[in-house]
Amino acid sequence: MGKQQELKDRFYDFALAIVKLVRKLPREIAAVEVGRQVLKSGTSIAANYEETTGAFSRSDFVYKLSISFREAKETNLWLRLLRDSGLVYGSPGTEPLIKESQEIANILAKSLKTARSNLSKLDE
């Protein structure tokens, strides 16, 4: 299995974990609203990364990759807000997802740096 497929699988598994987390949130307004936000951003990482394989150009690839990166950063914020506000109860809570969202953001940041560097080399 190639590196790109491994990342697709990892991001998909993360999106699935986000869906499962949101389904367990309490039915109060704050949890519903923050849950909606984390659901959108947390599943968007995988969706946008999936789209990189169908990019029309190298700059389109970089653009889609940058969206995944931004969504990973946003997801990390919503997860920390769920944790710090006490909206998530029980084990294991948000900690593994917070850690994974940070690792995903780091992976995407490195990939984005490489992709941008490769794109600028083509422009020279």
Side-chain angles (χ1 to χ4, degrees), residues 51-69:
E51 285 187 25
T52 64
T53 59
F56 296 115
S57 65
R58 289 177 190 229
S59 27
D60 189 38
F61 174 85
V62 168
Y63 173 73
K64 289 175 185 343
L65 196 61
S66 69
I67 294 172
S68 286
F69 170 71

Side-chain angles (χ1 to χ4, degrees), residues 34 38 73-86 94-95 97-99 101-102:
V34 175
V38 76
K73 298 293 284 179
E74 180 180 342
T75 300
N76 183 270
L77 173 125
W78 294 121
L79 289 168
R80 288 183 289 119
L81 189 59
L82 283 173
R83 177 197 63 200
D84 297 343
S85 65
T94 56
E95 287 308 316
L97 292 174
I98 290 170
K99 183 177 184 246
S101 68
Q102 188 58 56

Side-chain angles (χ1 to χ4, degrees), residues 1-121:
M1 181 183 309
K3 178 108 172 130
Q4 189 173 42
Q5 187 60 48
E6 287 177 24
L7 288 176
K8 281 184 181 183
D9 292 345
R10 183 173 181 176
F11 299 163
Y12 177 87
D13 290 344
F14 180 75
L16 184 58
I18 292 291
V19 169
K20 289 178 179 180
L21 171 73
V22 170
R23 291 183 76 190
K24 293 179 182 177
L25 291 175
R27 301 282 183 235
E28 63 177 85
I29 187 104
V32 169
E33 290 303 316
V34 175
R36 181 176 290 124
Q37 293 294 330
V38 76
L39 182 65
K40 287 169 70 175
S41 64
T43 57
S44 180
I45 299 164
N48 281 290
Y49 190 78
E50 188 77 29
E51 285 187 25
T52 64
T53 59
F56 296 115
S57 65
R58 289 177 190 229
S59 27
D60 189 38
F61 174 85
V62 168
Y63 173 73
K64 289 175 185 343
L65 196 61
S66 69
I67 294 172
S68 286
F69 170 71
R70 290 192 314 260
E71 296 292 344
K73 298 293 284 179
E74 180 180 342
T75 300
N76 183 270
L77 173 125
W78 294 121
L79 289 168
R80 288 183 289 119
L81 189 59
L82 283 173
R83 177 197 63 200
D84 297 343
S85 65
L87 290 170
V88 174
Y89 308 105
S91 178
T94 56
E95 287 308 316
L97 292 174
I98 290 170
K99 183 177 184 246
E100 180 68 355
S101 68
Q102 188 58 56
E103 288 178 14
I104 287 171
N106 291 343
I107 290 166
L108 290 168
K110 187 173 180 182
S111 297
L112 196 51
K113 183 177 179 181
T114 301
R116 284 181 175 150
S117 174
N118 290 341
L119 190 59
S120 68
K121 287 177 185 174

